[in-house]
Amino acid sequence: ICGGKVRVYPESDESPGLEVLSVFAEDQVDVVKLTPSHMELLRQQDVHCQQISKLIVGGEELKTQTARAMLQAIPGLQIYNEYGPTEATVGCMVHRYDPDKDHGSAVPIGTPAANTAIYIRDQYDQPVPRGVLGEMVVAGRGVALEYWNRPDLSAQKFGVDRVTGQRQYRTGDLARWQAWGMEFLGRADDQVKIRGARVELGEIEALMLEHPDVDSAAAVLKVHVSDGASEEPRSSDSNGEPYVVAYFTSDADLGPGGLKRFMESRLPSFMLPQHFALLDRMPLTQNGKIDRNALPNPAFSREDLETRYVAATTPMARQLATIW
C-alpha cells in the first residue's frame, strides 16, 4: 500500500541470531522489527544511524532503560512496543514509548488494537482487580478459529466471551494492570513449585530487571542431582532438589552478591533464587529471544559470597591455617 519494500537479511552461520547488527551497520532501511534482546546487543555496539527511524519491538519484555538508551543513541527514534500471540493474528496490543511518561521498570505493552479486547482473568475465567496477577485473554475478530486437527487443545484455549459474545483465546501469558499500564510477567507455564510453595519465574525476572544495573535477566528452574562425590545441576523432572538459577548481564560492576542483596530485601525467602550467574551475554534463539535451553549450568563455586577471605586472628586459627 505504501510502496515500500521488505528487506530480509540472511542468517549468519557464525553468529546465529546476531543478523540485526548488520542491519544497523548498513543503515539502509527505515523500520526494523526486533526483540529487546536484540536491543541489548545494539547497546553494546554504540550504534549511530541516519536512515532507521522506527523500531517495532516484541517477543519479550522491553525494559525502560533499554528503550531510553536506544533513544539516546538515535535521537528522534520512534519505538513501538507490541504484544500478541500467533493465535491472535500476532500483534494485538501496541504502545509508543514516551520517555516523558513511561517511568516504570518496563515499557507498557499498550492498548488493544482495533476490533480487539484484552482481559486479565483468574483460573475461573473471572476478571481480577488492578494489581493482581492473572492470565491474559484476547477477544475479538483477530482471534483464530482453532488449531489444525487438535480439537482437545482448541477446546482448552479457544472459547466465546460470555459478556460480549466475541471469540476469545487464553494466551497462557501472565500480566497485571498497573497505574502506568499493563505489566507483562511471562508465561503461566513458568509457574513452578519450590519446597511446596508456588513461584512465578516471570515475577523473579521482573524484579531482577528493576535493578538499574541489570541489562537482561532469566530465571530458570533446575534440579540438583547428586551422584556420589560429583554433583551435576541440570534442568529435568528427575528426582532431586529443585532450585532456581537467576542469570543476568550487566555492564556495571554488579556481582552476584550485589544482586542477591537487592533481591533479598524485596522477595520472600521461598522465591529467592538459590544461585546467581553473571553472563557476558544471553544466548539467543534464531528469532532473537533468550535461548533458555542454552543457558549454562551454574558452577557451584563460592563467587557469590559477600566476603572472599577472612584472615586468621587467634593463635589456634593461625596454626590451623598454617597446617592446612
Side-chain angles (χ1 to χ4, degrees):
I1 295 174
C2 298
K5 63 181 177 181
V6 176
R7 182 163 184 176
V8 180
Y9 282 73
E11 294 178 355
S12 170
D13 294 332
E14 290 118 11
S15 304
L18 304 185
E19 296 80 16
V20 69
L21 300 180
S22 300
V23 178
F24 278 77
E26 294 183 11
D27 192 23
Q28 296 295 312
V29 296
D30 304 296
V31 184
V32 182
K33 172 81 172 175
L34 73 173
T35 67
S37 294
H38 282 146
M39 294 175 70
E40 285 298 332
L41 287 173
L42 293 166
R43 285 181 60 185
Q44 304 168 17
Q45 303 298 315
D46 191 25
V47 295
H48 298 283
C49 301
Q50 298 294 327
Q51 184 73 13
I52 296 174
S53 59
K54 294 183 179 67
L55 302 184
I56 302 175
V57 189
E60 299 169 307
E61 182 182 58
L62 175 57
K63 195 178 181 186
T64 302
Q65 70 177 38
T66 302
R68 186 182 302 115
M70 288 298 299
L71 208 59
Q72 291 172 350
I74 309 176
L77 185 69
Q78 297 178 20
I79 301 175
Y80 292 90
N81 194 25
E82 281 194 346
Y83 165 84
T86 303
E87 292 86 346
T89 323
V90 187
C92 59
M93 296 186 75
V94 63
H95 174 81
R96 179 176 173 179
Y97 169 64
D98 186 340
D100 296 327
K101 296 180 180 179
D102 298 333
H103 301 299
S105 61
V107 177
I109 57 177
T111 56
N115 300 315
T116 303
I118 304 292
Y119 307 103
I120 300 183
R121 305 270 180 80
D122 61 17
Q123 59 181 324
Y124 305 108
D125 202 32
Q126 298 297 317
V128 300
R130 181 183 295 273
V132 175
L133 194 67
E135 182 181 5
M136 292 181 65
V137 177
V138 181
R141 302 188 66 177
V143 175
L145 296 178
E146 60 184 8
Y147 292 112
W148 180 254
N149 287 336
R150 289 296 307 274
D152 52 339
L153 189 59
S154 296
Q156 178 185 347
K157 290 291 187 177
F158 294 99
V160 177
D161 180 61
R162 294 191 301 267
V163 178
T164 64
Q166 292 178 309
R167 187 160 187 77
Q168 69 176 24
Y169 167 70
R170 301 189 70 94
T171 66
D173 290 333
L174 298 175
R176 59 188 168 204
W177 288 109
Q178 300 283 33
W180 43 265
M182 185 179 288
E183 180 183 19
F184 175 77
L185 289 168
R187 295 287 300 166
D189 47 21
D190 285 341
Q191 187 182 87
V192 298
K193 276 200 171 184
I194 303 293
R195 295 183 295 276
R198 190 173 65 182
V199 175
E200 308 283 357
L201 296 180
E203 285 199 275
I204 295 176
E205 293 176 359
L207 183 57
M208 292 169 65
L209 290 170
E210 288 185 13
H211 194 291
D213 293 328
V214 172
D215 297 325
S216 58
V220 177
L221 180 72
K222 290 187 176 283
V223 177
H224 189 73
V225 179
S226 178
D227 182 16
S230 64
E231 294 178 328
E232 177 192 1
R234 57 191 175 95
S235 50
S236 68
D237 294 326
S238 62
N239 55 357
E241 182 65 25
Y243 62 98
V244 174
V245 181
Y247 298 90
F248 69 101
T249 62
S250 175
D251 291 334
D253 187 19
L254 175 67
L259 181 57
K260 184 177 181 180
R261 288 194 301 272
F262 175 81
M263 302 286 282
E264 281 177 334
S265 64
R266 292 162 173 82
L267 282 178
S269 59
F270 68 87
M271 286 187 67
L272 187 69
Q274 284 77 18
H275 194 87
F276 292 81
L278 175 63
L279 304 179
D280 292 333
R281 70 178 183 90
M282 289 287 180
L284 303 181
T285 63
Q286 288 189 346
N287 61 3
K289 298 182 182 181
I290 293 176
D291 188 352
R292 297 174 185 272
N293 293 326
L295 289 168
N297 283 326
F300 283 94
S301 66
R302 308 306 295 170
E303 294 177 356
D304 57 345
L305 287 178
E306 298 282 334
T307 307
R308 305 289 186 187
Y309 171 73
V310 176
T313 55
T314 66
M316 181 173 289
R318 283 193 292 268
Q319 185 178 4
L320 285 171
T322 302
I323 294 171
W324 189 257

